[in-house]
């Protein structure tokens, strides 16, 4: 990985990966003590602005910046660029992003960071992405008490039966755990469990791929026999990746629409790995989850949107590839289900907002990748790590930070400070949850998320 000056290109082994990331400047000459004062005031007196705000010019609420000079709020260049316009009209240079609490200098045209700013960034992040309250609601407590009372009333034979069932379940789990392959390289499984339990690791990152959704019923790409790429013969593609290539899509959209029916339209529920991430988030120790998946199952599991970076986009919206107008996602899904091509009034093809090979990754990916410099544990799950630039995220994790890979194949090798948990992903995660002694919290998260899911799909 090679960072050049400020606007850097992702370069791995001399190969440019496409897309740009921005490395923060540490000596911005435009940052003044008055800016820090303004930020302190914001963190004390105007906290609400960090949570909800709109652009002073267009009222957009999706991605806004806060000018440290005059406290004006303006939308980003990804929206209508009103903060950039403000800078060109006034030369007020430094702004705080309400989306991810980073700082940008319009005069340096770069992200900026200093010790002061870093501390403030943490403060704002804590306001914006607070831990969910851990105090149980009175009703919940009453329900739990009722269950406990019921247990006490059960007759002795029933209790024995339940106990036998539990022992059987434990034996089955132990059998499954025996098949898992744990390889330690300077970082032990015990250190992982103790470090999470004690919250020694309190800035955890997840890097995930298709493998985490396989047990939901969505095939991955590359698993031999079951992966999507091994089922593409009938589409007569020049090579499997063509199905997700923009150039190929322009000339042969039918192939994408036909293949996506079933693959992208199936009703799927989150898996063990998604609930596990929500559990880590609820503990207040999740820095960010980066995923290559487009299924949004992390959100279905209850992960807050701000904690998730969907590097390859998602299926929650769609656009025309010609005039770039946003189109109706329900219509898109209907078109996929009926395998008919969805075209815009301008005759352009409509494509869901997933990143095809040959397209740039969302700006969110490049912004948030900077967070990896601050993580203290990285958990990589269900990915072959062959798609770039996502795979290059691993090299952005500081050397001293332990990496855990949970995957059938050992897609990372030669790392130090590294733990490989081979075998089935779900079983490995169940083992971790069990060894953390957090089965109850996990089950509660799962129950709540599935209940919400069922209600939504009624
Ligand atoms: P991939 O290359 O198919 O790799 C998946 C990895 O998961 C492999 O290394 C498998 O060994 C591993 N794996 C699969 N099942 C299990 C299991 N049960 N237990 C343990 N390990 C398992 O997929 P990547 O994510 O690395 O490739 C990136 C592509 C895949 C991205 O562009 C995604 O958009 C794309 N994709 C996404 C989805 C989805 O959203 N669910 C599905 C299929 C492909």
């Amino acid at each position: 990985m090679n960072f050049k000056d400020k606007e850097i290109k992702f370069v791995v082994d001399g190969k440019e990966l496409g897309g740009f990331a921005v490395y923060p400047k540490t000596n911005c000459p435009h940052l003044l003590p008055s800016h820090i004062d303004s930020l302190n005031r914001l963190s004390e007196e105007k906290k609400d602005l960090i949570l909800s705000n709109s652009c002073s010019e267009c009222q957009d609420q999706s991605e806004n910046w806060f000018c440290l000079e005059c406290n004006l709020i303006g939308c980003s260049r990804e929206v209508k660029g009103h903060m950039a316009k403000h800078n060109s009209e006034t030369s007020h240079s430094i702004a705080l992003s309400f989306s991810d609490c980073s700082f940008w200098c319009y005069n340096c045209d770069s992200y900026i960071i200093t010790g002061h700013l870093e501390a403030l960034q943490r403060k704002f992040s804590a306001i914006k992405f607070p831990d969910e309250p851990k105090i149980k609601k009175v009703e919940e407590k009453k329900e739990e008490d009722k269950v406990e009372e019921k247990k006490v009333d059960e007759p002795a034979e029933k209790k024995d039966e339940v106990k036998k069932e539990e022992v059987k379940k434990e034996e089955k789990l132990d059998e499954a755990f025996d098949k898992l392959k744990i390889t330690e390289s300077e970082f032990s499984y015990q250190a992982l469990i103790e470090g999470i339990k004690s919250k020694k690791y309190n800035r955890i990152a997840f890097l995930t791929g298709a493998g985490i959704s396989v047990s939901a019923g969505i095939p991955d790409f590359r698993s031999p026999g079951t992966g999507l790429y091994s089922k593409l013969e009938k589409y007569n593609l020049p090579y499997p990746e063509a199905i997700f290539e923009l150039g190929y899509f322009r000339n042969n959209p039918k192939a994408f629409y036909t293949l996506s029916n079933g693959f992208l339209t199936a009703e799927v529920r989150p898996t063990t790995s998604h609930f596990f991430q929500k559990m880590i988030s609820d503990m207040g120790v999740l820095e960010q989850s980066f995923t290559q998946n487009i299924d949004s199952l992390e959100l279905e599991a209850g992960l807050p949107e701000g904690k998730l970076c969907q590097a390859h986009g998602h299926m929650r919206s769609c656009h025309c590839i010609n005039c770039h107008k946003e189109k109706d996602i329900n219509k898109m899904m209907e078109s996929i289900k009926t395998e008919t091509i969805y075209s815009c009034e301008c005759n352009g093809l409509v494509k869901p907002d997933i990143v095809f090979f040959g397209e740039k990754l969302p700006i969110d990916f490049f912004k948030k990748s900077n967070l990896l410099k601050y993580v203290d544990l990285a958990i990589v799950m269900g990915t072959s790590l062959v798609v770039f630039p996502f795979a290059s995220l691993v090299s952005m994790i500081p050397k001293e930070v332990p990496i855990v890979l949970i995957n059938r194949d050992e897609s990372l090798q030669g790392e130090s400070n590294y733990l490989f948990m081979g075998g089935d992903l779900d079983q490995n995660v169940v083992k971790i949850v069990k060894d953390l002694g957090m089965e109850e919290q996990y089950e509660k998260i799962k129950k709540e998320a599935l209940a919400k899911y069922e209600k939504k799909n009624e």
Side-chain angles (χ1 to χ4, degrees), residues 208-215 218-224 226-229 244 263-264 274 291-297 312-313 354-355 357 381-387 390 406-411 421-428:
T208 67
I212 70 165
S213 295
V214 167
S215 60
I218 308 176
D220 64 5
F221 276 179
R222 292 175 186 81
S223 282
T226 55
L228 197 67
Y229 285 168
F244 293 113
F263 171 59
L264 296 177
H274 300 103
T291 188
Q292 298 166 87
N293 294 348
I294 51 174
D295 54 36
S296 301
L297 286 179
H312 295 167
I354 58 180
V355 178
F357 292 112
M381 306 192 286
T383 171
S384 57
L385 287 174
V386 295
V387 177
F390 188 93
I406 316 176
N407 205 42
R408 189 164 284 140
D409 312 307
E410 190 161 9
S411 42
M421 301 183 68
D424 184 72
L425 193 43
D426 286 349
Q427 294 295 355
N428 268 307

